[in-house]
Amino acid sequence: PVSGLTGVNVAKDCQEDKEGWKALKSWYDGPTLIEALDSFNPPKREFEKPMRLIVTDVSSEGKNVTVRGRVVQGFIRASDNVMVFPVGDEASVVRIERGKAAREEASPYSFASVPSTKPNNGEENKSLDVEDIPEMQNCALAGDTVEVMLSGIDAMRLSPGCVICHRHPSLRPHVKRRFQAKLVVMDRLAVPIIRGSQMLFHMHSIDVPAVLNKLLESTNRASGVTRSNPRVLPGGSSATVEITVNERLVLEEYNECRSLGRFVLRRGGDTVAVGLIDKVLS
């Protein structure tokens, strides 16, 4: 509980509203907003897993193609040979740009290098940034948002939602249409979900039609009662289902790649369920 207007419980040094703090302490003895934020542990960057870069934008520069996106796991370096899925085309990494926009008003898609700043005494700023490490200038790690210039591929073959990975067969993701997933159905559901329901499958920057082929199991979250092969999924339930999407997509189990293993199901403009991919089916 916080008050943005008076500053109550934002930080301990915001003590202007004495009455508000007194009323809050009568029933709340937890941390302030700043203390709660400081207690968060940053998510682990999964450098050791096979590289996955999800494309969000594509542009063409002469013979090369520049893609913008986020490395969700692993790492990518200049001169790497990669593959683009689901199209399955090969390409070579020419250059990698990572960093901040040169100006505050610059486009968030601009990755120009930030000019070095100098303090008032004229000496150069000695603070070390990751861009100052030579080995990191042509490399991007999990969690980085980057521009990657590719050669040997047609720009028409790339689109937002494509996934770039290393080309070794053991490092490639699944490109399938059918999978088994665990769903959490929204509480306020106007029309229950039945077998054969048509939904809009949303994952990162992809929206494709999908069909719920099978309802394998459902659990009422309030009572804890579990049913096998249910006929309907009401609001407030959890379920294991089988889903088929209309086109081949890059799909992975959630425990293998979180960004490619979580999704949202929408119907009529409303979110009806969220889910995690449990198993990719052939």
Side-chain angles (χ1 to χ4, degrees):
V2 297
S3 172
L5 181 63
T6 64
V8 172
N9 206 42
V10 174
K12 287 187 175 180
D13 54 359
C14 297
Q15 298 288 339
E16 288 81 2
D17 187 2
K18 304 293 185 182
E19 293 298 323
W21 277 97
K22 183 178 179 180
L24 178 68
K25 289 180 179 179
S26 66
W27 63 274
Y28 178 78
D29 59 356
T32 64
L33 175 62
I34 300 300
E35 290 172 341
L37 292 175
D38 288 341
S39 66
F40 290 166
N41 293 320
K44 179 186 176 183
R45 290 191 176 194
E46 297 177 325
F47 308 118
E48 73 284 356
K49 288 190 173 183
M51 188 271 291
R52 302 286 184 263
L53 189 155
I54 299 176
V55 176
T56 57
D57 192 22
V58 181
S59 62
S60 180
E61 298 181 8
K63 295 183 179 179
N64 297 324
V65 180
T66 298
V67 298
R68 300 173 182 87
R70 181 170 178 266
V71 183
V72 297
Q73 66 181 37
F75 61 91
I76 184 171
R77 300 170 297 184
S79 76
D80 279 354
N81 294 318
V82 297
M83 292 196 71
V84 180
F85 288 100
V87 294
D89 291 1
E90 295 188 11
S92 297
V93 179
V94 177
R95 189 177 73 245
I96 296 174
E97 292 286 346
R98 56 195 296 275
K100 301 178 181 178
R103 304 182 310 276
E104 289 185 2
E105 66 273 13
S107 166
Y109 295 106
S110 173
F111 290 84
S113 299
V114 180
S116 59
T117 57
K118 296 183 179 181
N120 295 332
N121 58 10
E123 296 181 359
E124 293 186 359
N125 193 343
K126 299 298 183 181
S127 60
L128 183 64
D129 189 77
V130 67
E131 292 296 322
D132 299 325
I133 305 174
E135 293 80 2
M136 298 298 294
Q137 291 180 357
N138 286 311
C139 178
L141 306 176
D144 290 340
T145 301
V146 295
E147 282 186 353
V148 178
M149 181 176 287
L150 302 175
S151 64
I153 189 170
D154 189 347
M156 298 301 293
R157 300 284 288 171
L158 288 158
S159 61
C162 287
V163 177
I164 298 175
C165 70
H166 289 125
R167 68 178 186 176
H168 192 278
S170 65
L171 302 177
R172 300 177 187 178
H174 301 288
V175 182
K176 303 290 183 180
R177 294 181 55 226
R178 196 163 58 98
F179 60 92
Q180 183 176 303
K182 295 180 179 178
L183 290 185
V184 174
V185 183
M186 299 293 102
D187 291 330
R188 297 182 179 180
L189 192 63
V191 179
I193 299 173
I194 61 173
R195 179 182 175 183
S197 294
Q198 296 186 359
M199 306 281 182
L200 189 64
F201 175 87
H202 176 79
M203 176 187 284
H204 49 85
S205 55
I206 294 175
D207 286 296
V208 297
V211 178
L212 271 71
N213 294 52
K214 297 180 182 179
L215 307 182
L216 303 175
E217 187 179 82
S218 69
T219 302
N220 187 303
R221 295 201 299 270
S223 63
V225 177
T226 299
R227 297 179 60 187
S228 298
N229 301 315
R231 298 180 59 185
V232 64
L233 300 180
S237 62
S238 301
T240 301
V241 300
E242 186 178 300
I243 299 175
T244 300
V245 292
N246 280 18
E247 58 187 75
R248 296 169 73 244
L249 301 177
V250 178
L251 304 170
E252 293 203 75
E253 290 85 356
Y254 180 76
N255 59 1
E256 294 294 331
C257 181
R258 290 178 294 179
S259 297
L260 296 175
R262 57 193 177 199
F263 61 91
V264 174
L265 295 179
R266 296 177 62 83
R267 180 175 60 189
D270 297 324
T271 298
V272 297
V274 295
L276 303 177
I277 296 177
D278 199 30
K279 183 188 303 183
V280 179
L281 306 174
S282 58

